[in-house]
Amino acid sequence: MAKAATSNLETPPASPAAADEPVLRASIYEELRRRMITGKITPGVGLSTRGLAVEMGVSQMPVRDALSRLAAEGAVAIRSKRKIEVPAMTAERFGDLLDCRLMLEPEAAALALPHITHGRLKELRKIDQTMDSAMENGDVIAYMECNFAFHFNIYRANDRPILNRLIEALWLQFGPFMRMVYGRFGTANLVDQHRVALAAIEARDPEALRRAIASDIADGMGLIGRSNWAGG
């Protein structure tokens, strides 16, 4: 009887490590996306699967998987197992990125406007103040993190996750170059279009908000255009 009961026992559940594997892969992917969007990964610097794995305290497999996904999004180019890098900027790619941002982001902001609460507007003002300090101090990383937070705190109010993910994919491709350009030219002379956007939000003026976002994009992308694409 005991033998029969033993044979009917259910298969033991998967180990916590196995159960958490999809979550781990997703977290590594999202972390690398965030690093690219905020310029922590820059052009001309090779990415090592092993080095990233050691830094993040994980095996190479989830890092390799994340890099493959980023390559599919055009954020990195995998030349070989040991040569992974941000692809060089070209005039054609730059023009395409700029056009797509100008098509999507002003509209994403306008769609978000009816859903931006007083609390969200207060948070946007706080982000803008932190960004002002970063500009004054020449803190490029903090500036880029605040810039990303400002834009996506607006966009994510629109409840259009697919649209916002498309915009993030564009930021993936120009983020590394913005870090390089800001490092070269600094941030002190940038026009603060965010204040114009805040005024448009407060006035509930979708057209003014569209113009502010478009101007902000043109200012930032214009720096890339004047940087001779790859910083040469």
Side-chain angles (χ1 to χ4, degrees):
M1 291 294 293
K3 196 171 184 179
T6 301
S7 65
N8 290 330
L9 287 176
E10 295 182 359
T11 303
S15 67
D20 290 346
E21 183 66 17
V23 175
L24 174 62
R25 288 174 182 267
S27 67
I28 296 299
Y29 168 68
E30 292 297 336
E31 170 61 16
L32 290 178
R33 277 178 64 93
R34 188 186 68 81
R35 291 186 184 193
M36 298 202 71
I37 286 171
T38 57
K40 290 186 174 70
I41 294 175
T42 57
V45 177
L47 301 175
S48 163
T49 301
R50 178 175 298 187
L52 288 169
V54 170
E55 180 186 343
M56 296 180 177
V58 298
S59 69
Q60 293 187 53
M61 188 60 71
V63 175
R64 190 176 294 116
D65 180 67
L67 289 171
S68 294
R69 293 176 66 183
L70 290 169
E73 293 179 281
V76 299
I78 301 177
R79 313 296 185 192
S80 67
K81 286 185 178 180
R82 296 188 177 182
K83 190 173 183 181
I84 304 168
E85 58 190 11
V86 174
M89 185 63 73
T90 65
E92 293 76 16
R93 184 178 171 214
F94 172 81
D96 200 14
L97 284 170
L98 177 58
D99 288 346
C100 288
R101 289 195 67 195
L102 290 172
M103 281 191 287
L104 296 180
E105 293 186 48
E107 189 60 26
L111 288 169
L113 183 57
H115 309 288
I116 297 178
T117 62
H118 176 73
R120 189 178 288 261
L121 179 57
K122 184 177 179 180
E123 178 64 21
L124 287 166
R125 293 190 186 283
K126 182 178 178 181
I127 293 169
D128 189 53
Q129 289 174 357
T130 304
M131 190 169 174
D132 286 345
S133 297
M135 289 173 70
E136 291 171 4
N137 297 328
D139 188 338
V140 176
I141 293 296
Y143 174 86
M144 292 194 65
E145 288 178 340
C146 288
N147 189 44
F148 174 77
F150 184 90
H151 280 263
F152 281 87
N153 263 276
I154 295 175
Y155 304 155
R156 286 171 182 158
N158 62 27
D159 197 27
R160 301 289 184 94
I162 295 175
L163 173 60
N164 295 336
R165 198 67 171 178
L166 289 172
I167 295 170
E168 282 190 21
L170 298 174
W171 280 60
L172 269 177
Q173 296 189 56
F174 77 84
F177 293 91
M178 290 308 302
R179 168 66 179 87
M180 176 193 69
V181 170
Y182 290 148
R184 175 179 297 176
F185 296 109
T187 59
N189 296 321
L190 292 173
V191 177
D192 189 359
Q193 297 290 351
H194 290 181
R195 291 186 182 180
V196 181
L198 288 169
I201 292 170
E202 190 168 22
R204 297 290 162 179
D205 186 337
E207 290 305 317
L209 182 56
R210 283 188 179 97
R211 289 194 298 270
I213 296 298
S215 295
D216 190 52
I217 292 168
D219 286 351
M221 296 292 277
L223 284 178
I224 295 181
R226 293 194 296 274
S227 72
N228 194 25
W229 316 114

